[in-house]
């Protein structure tokens, strides 16, 4: 069983009995309230008195689940690839040059592009480097923990966040001075009760979204380290998250070991939509560029596309010959191509609309752990357990 | 203690399912058509689809590389 206890303990007057006690932060009809544990128990017993027992509630939840499936099925009038039949087939996918960035002492676990499209940050078991492509400029920061599983560039490009088995997400300011000791300026922002699996800045340098092996996601204020919102709903480790692309968007999607992908409202903490069609852990989630859909990569060797307005899975990208899990997915700029890195050391490129595979890219000598398309769409980068980053421009 | 804990947990599950059951949905045909339209509209701006001429490619092989 995974450790899911992630409770911000506050002490103060209870909203119901007004006594000063340790409070539980709960939601009643979407309103946050602070009740002491005694009042929560009383409230639960009141529920019982009205004739609701665990079994009646369980029956109702089964009914609702069935009704949900019915409603979704009613709108399933056609498949995506049928709609896309009239679209021109893509020509052969060619990658002309590739540069391999060596220099990591260990497996590359994740990477992120800077919005200036020239710089990247990548993490490995021990060291985090940021390398500008074409102009070699490196900052190496030694992390106190052994596995750095998540790293992200801030929108300004001046700050990097990373974390992993230390259960924290720390923020490092970047400077042009190579000799400056970046580790000294480190600031811990997020604290979870289990490993940090993914992190991402929101639209500014001020807020950081994290996901963790403790089954929760959380939104933090970078400056004060305060927890702004927490997101509960996964029943196992959360492995990946992605923010909706729009400027005004306030939603993000997360995927986890419970095979579910959940869409959340960042302000209220509410789980808006939930999708459970994968047969194994979801390792990676990524929004479609329009923000109306998202793709997932999973240990069941498939990638799937879920449409948010149709509220269902609309495409599966799989082949009988692919039996290894997909660890990372990303879209090209137009959303026509889906790049997916697999544990069989390859990257498969899928035609998102037609559901067919356009290309297989070889070149890594161990699992591909991360695949990211550059912000301007002119290149993509893949990191692997073979200690290299492969940089593939058009 | 554990019974009431179960009740609270089940109530949350039921509440969440009620919420999810009530959202507005569109037909897959419409959603798929919009996804396709977005792809086609943006296809020309997608360098990985169309390729990019070497004069505008920011990552073309440089003759001079400086090591900082």
């Amino acid at each position: 069983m995974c450790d899911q206890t992630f409770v911000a303990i506050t002490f103060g007057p209870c909203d119901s009995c007004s006594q000063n006690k340790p409070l539980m932060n709960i939601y009643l009809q979407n309103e946050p309230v602070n009740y002491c544990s005694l009042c929560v128990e009383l409230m639960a017993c009141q529920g019982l008195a009205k004739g609701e027992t665990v079994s009646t509630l369980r029956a109702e939840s089964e009914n609702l689940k069935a009704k949900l499936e019915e409603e979704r099925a009613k709108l399933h009038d056609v498949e995506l690839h049928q709609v896309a039949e009239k679209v021109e087939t893509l020509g052969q996918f060619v990658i002309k040059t590739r540069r391999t960035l060596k220099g990591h002492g260990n497996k590359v676990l994740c990477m992120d592009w800077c919005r200036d499209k020239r710089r990247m940050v990548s993490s490995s078991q021990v060291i985090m480097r940021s390398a500008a492509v074409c102009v070699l400029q490196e900052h190496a920061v030694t992390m106190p923990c052994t596995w750095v599983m998540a790293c992200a560039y801030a929108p300004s490009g001046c700050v990097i966040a990373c974390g992993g088995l230390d259960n924290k997400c720390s923020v490092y300011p970047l400077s042009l001075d190579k000799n400056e000791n970046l580790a000294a300026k480190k600031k811990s922002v997020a604290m979870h009760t289990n490993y940090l699996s993914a992190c991402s800045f929101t639209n500014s340098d001020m807020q950081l979204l994290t996901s963790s092996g403790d089954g929760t996601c959380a939104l933090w204020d970078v400056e004060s380290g305060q927890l702004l919102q927490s997101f509960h709903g996964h029943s196992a480790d959360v492995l990946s998250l992605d923010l909706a692309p729009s400027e005004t968007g306030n939603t993000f999607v997360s995927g986890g070991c419970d095979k579910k992908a959940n869409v959340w409202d960042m302000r209220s903490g509410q789980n808006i939509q939930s999708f459970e069609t994968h047969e194994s852990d979801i390792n990676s989630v990524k929004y479609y560029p329009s923000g109306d859909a998202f793709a997932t990569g999973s240990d069941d060797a498939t990638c799937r596309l879920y449409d948010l307005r149709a509220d269902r899975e609309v495409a599966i990208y799989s082949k009988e010959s692919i039996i290894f899990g997909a660890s990372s997915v990303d879209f090209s700029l137009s959303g026509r191509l889906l790049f997916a890195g697999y544990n069989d050391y390859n990257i498969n490129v899928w035609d998102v609309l037609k559901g067919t595979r356009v290309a297989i890219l070889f070149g890594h000598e161990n699992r591909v752990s991360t695949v990211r398309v550059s912000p301007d769409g002119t290149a993509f980068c893949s990191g692997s357990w073979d200690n290299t980053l492969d940089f593939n421009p058009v | 203690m554990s019974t009431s804990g179960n009740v609270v947990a089940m109530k949350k599950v039921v509440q969440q399912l009620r919420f999810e059951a009530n959202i507005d949905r569109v037909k897959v045909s419409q959603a798929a058509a919009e996804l396709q339209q977005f792809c086609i509209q943006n296809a020309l701006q997608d360098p990985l689809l169309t390729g990019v001429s070497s004069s505008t490619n920011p990552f073309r092989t440089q003759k001079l590389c400086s090591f900082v």
Side-chain angles (χ1 to χ4, degrees):
Chain A
M1 194 178 111
C2 78
D3 181 356
Q4 285 189 74
T5 50
F6 181 55
V7 177
I9 300 190
T10 52
F11 189 89
C14 166
D15 283 351
S16 145
C17 66
S18 311
Q19 290 174 29
N20 270 341
K21 283 186 167 181
L23 302 175
M24 297 173 67
N25 312 92
I26 56 172
Y27 283 90
L28 281 182
Q29 277 137 10
N30 292 336
E31 290 294 321
V33 292
N34 293 322
Y35 279 8
C36 67
S37 52
L38 180 61
C39 291
V40 170
E41 294 291 341
L42 289 174
M43 199 175 57
C45 291
Q46 279 165 12
L48 266 179
K50 286 176 200 151
E52 284 178 325
T53 61
V54 174
S55 41
T56 57
L57 284 173
R58 191 168 292 140
E60 191 181 348
S61 91
E62 295 302 318
N63 279 343
L64 281 170
K65 279 188 195 158
K67 181 181 167 201
L68 203 50
E69 283 316 305
E70 252 182 63
E71 291 295 317
R72 284 172 169 169
K74 274 186 208 164
L75 297 163
H76 187 200
D77 50 349
V78 78
E79 298 284 347
L80 174 60
H81 63 86
Q82 288 169 319
V83 169
E85 246 156 47
K86 299 191 197 116
V87 176
E88 239 176 71
T89 322
L90 291 173
Q92 198 182 18
F93 184 74
V94 171
I95 285 283
K96 288 189 218 131
T97 58
R98 162 188 287 168
R99 256 165 263 162
T100 304
L101 298 165
K102 298 188 185 160
H104 270 291
N106 268 295
K107 305 182 168 100
V108 176
L109 297 178
C110 72
M111 63 146 305
D112 190 23
W113 283 93
C114 180
R115 286 187 195 187
D116 74 356
K117 309 147 206 166
R118 300 288 169 274
R119 292 179 292 166
M120 302 177 286
V121 64
S122 66
S123 78
S124 75
Q125 279 175 308
V126 174
I127 296 176
M128 177 188 85
R129 282 176 200 270
S130 101
V133 186
C134 270
V135 178
L136 285 175
Q137 191 177 28
E138 291 181 8
H139 298 278
V141 179
T142 310
M143 290 284 289
C145 76
T146 48
W147 281 69
V148 177
M149 301 167 74
C151 59
Y153 243 113
S156 67
C158 301
V159 165
I160 283 178
C162 60
L165 283 188
D166 57 353
N167 298 0
K168 295 193 276 197
C169 191
S170 310
V171 155
Y172 297 78
L174 288 178
S175 79
L176 289 174
D177 181 2
K178 258 184 76 179
N179 296 326
E180 195 163 351
N181 183 7
L182 288 180
K185 294 199 169 170
K186 159 185 149 173
K187 185 188 159 115
S188 283
V189 171
M191 301 269 276
H192 279 278
T193 54
N194 209 326
Y195 65 89
L196 190 88
S197 52
C199 63
S200 173
F201 283 88
T202 59
N203 284 327
S204 75
D205 283 13
M206 297 290 101
Q207 291 183 350
L208 189 63
L209 193 56
T210 59
S211 67
S212 165
D214 65 13
T216 68
C217 302
L219 182 66
W220 309 84
D221 176 84
V222 173
E223 194 55 47
S224 62
Q226 196 190 7
L227 172 68
L228 297 172
Q229 185 62 259
S230 67
F231 305 90
H232 297 256
H234 278 287
S235 50
D237 305 18
V238 184
L239 294 180
S240 174
L241 60 82
D242 190 35
L243 273 137
S246 98
E247 295 290 317
T248 52
N250 276 300
T251 61
F252 72 95
V253 62
S254 65
C257 292
D258 55 359
K259 312 177 202 163
K260 288 204 289 192
N262 290 337
V263 180
W264 308 86
D265 179 315
M266 274 202 281
R267 281 167 304 186
S268 66
Q270 171 85 38
N271 177 2
I272 306 174
Q273 284 169 279
S274 183
F275 302 89
E276 192 172 355
T277 61
H278 268 293
E279 293 160 21
S280 186
D281 303 358
I282 296 180
N283 295 315
S284 175
V285 291
K286 207 77 177 61
Y287 263 98
Y288 187 78
S290 72
D292 292 326
F294 66 91
T296 55
S298 160
D299 274 347
D300 65 7
T302 67
C303 298
R304 296 179 199 226
L305 186 69
Y306 297 89
D307 187 290
L308 294 174
R309 287 152 319 148
D311 189 40
R312 60 171 298 121
E313 172 192 300
V314 291
I316 306 185
Y317 307 101
S318 67
K319 264 182 134 52
E320 270 188 31
S321 51
I322 303 176
I323 53 172
F324 284 83
S327 58
S328 179
V329 295
D330 201 358
F331 284 101
S332 67
L333 267 196
S334 67
R336 183 71 193 269
L337 298 173
L338 180 69
F339 294 87
Y342 289 76
N343 293 336
D344 62 2
Y345 313 172
N346 302 329
I347 298 171
N348 289 312
V349 186
W350 300 90
D351 179 332
V352 169
L353 297 179
K354 290 192 183 281
T356 55
R357 179 169 63 181
V358 171
I360 317 178
L361 303 171
F362 305 97
H364 279 295
E365 292 159 17
N366 207 320
R367 293 191 186 192
V368 179
S369 54
T370 175
V371 174
R372 295 295 292 264
V373 173
S374 71
D376 60 358
T378 55
F380 73 93
C381 200
S382 58
S384 160
W385 282 20
D386 66 2
N387 304 1
T388 66
L389 272 171
D390 264 2
F391 168 70
N392 303 273
V394 170
Chain B
M1 169 72 188
S2 61
T3 333
S4 50
N6 276 343
V7 171
V8 170
M10 283 308 292
K11 270 187 156 184
K12 280 194 196 154
V13 168
V14 167
Q15 248 178 352
Q16 178 64 27
L17 285 171
R18 276 193 205 138
F19 177 84
E20 285 182 28
N22 286 333
I23 62 175
D24 291 324
R25 294 176 187 84
V26 308
K27 283 200 176 159
V28 173
S29 49
Q30 185 187 339
E34 288 180 30
L35 287 178
Q36 183 178 304
Q37 191 177 30
F38 183 87
C39 270
I40 295 175
Q41 269 174 347
N42 290 291
L44 289 175
Q45 276 96 47
D46 187 347
L48 284 164
L49 268 187
T50 59
V52 128
S53 72
S54 27
S55 56
T56 49
N57 189 345
F59 295 118
R60 72 185 182 282
T61 326
Q62 303 262 6
K63 291 203 176 122
L64 288 167
C65 251
S66 58
F67 286 68
V68 172

